[in-house]
Amino acid sequence: MLSRLLKEHQAKQNERKELQEKRRREAITAATCLTEALVDHLNVGVAQAYMNQRKLDHEVKTLQVQAAQFAKQTGQWIGMVENFNQALKEIGDVENWARSIELDMRTIATALEYVYKGQLQSAQS
């Protein structure tokens, strides 16, 4: 009877050990699944951040190219405005020259008219 109790006790202990081992394996499997799920969830975020970074890098490069083109175009515009300004100055110089010539011509015309009138008066007297 004692041996039968011992065998029953050992059988129950073996069942408990098997049950405990089964539960341990299930716990390990569940922990592994949880870990994989967490890592996958984190990897999705990391992958999204990586993709966003790549998009930002591409946008930065595009913006740099456009900024360089804009700077070049702005330089061309500034050159054109400076040329236009220079042309306006030259037109102003020509206008001043023309006024100076006109003033000189009027002075000469007035002097010639004065001389002519002087000669007419001398001839009549």
Side-chain angles (χ1 to χ4, degrees):
M1 173 153 170
L2 192 56
S3 68
R4 187 182 65 140
L5 283 174
L6 182 63
K7 285 183 185 180
E8 284 177 9
H9 176 70
Q10 287 175 347
K12 284 183 182 180
Q13 270 188 335
N14 284 339
E15 285 177 19
R16 285 183 188 153
K17 283 182 184 179
E18 288 175 12
L19 182 61
Q20 187 177 9
E21 183 64 27
K22 180 181 174 188
R23 287 181 181 164
R24 186 182 69 79
R25 281 180 275 162
E26 288 174 355
I28 289 173
T29 303
T32 302
C33 288
L34 176 63
T35 303
E36 288 176 358
L38 289 173
V39 168
D40 287 345
H41 179 70
L42 291 175
N43 282 342
V44 167
V46 169
Q48 184 65 39
Y50 176 74
M51 290 301 293
N52 289 343
Q53 183 64 38
R54 286 185 59 197
K55 287 178 184 177
L56 285 174
D57 289 343
H58 177 70
E59 290 295 323
V60 165
K61 288 178 184 177
T62 303
L63 183 61
Q64 286 174 339
V65 168
Q66 289 176 349
Q69 289 174 344
F70 181 70
K72 181 180 177 182
Q73 189 176 28
T74 302
Q76 291 173 343
W77 288 345
I78 288 172
M80 289 173 58
V81 168
E82 288 175 354
N83 290 340
F84 180 70
N85 193 25
Q86 183 63 33
L88 286 177
K89 286 180 183 179
E90 289 173 4
I91 289 172
D93 291 344
V94 169
E95 185 179 357
N96 286 336
W97 176 78
R99 284 185 188 154
S100 176
I101 295 291
E102 182 181 4
L103 184 61
D104 290 346
M105 295 301 273
R106 284 187 182 168
T107 304
I108 292 171
T110 304
L112 287 175
E113 190 176 317
Y114 179 72
V115 168
Y116 178 74
K117 285 182 182 177
Q119 286 178 355
L120 280 179
Q121 288 177 357
S122 301
Q124 289 176 354
S125 334

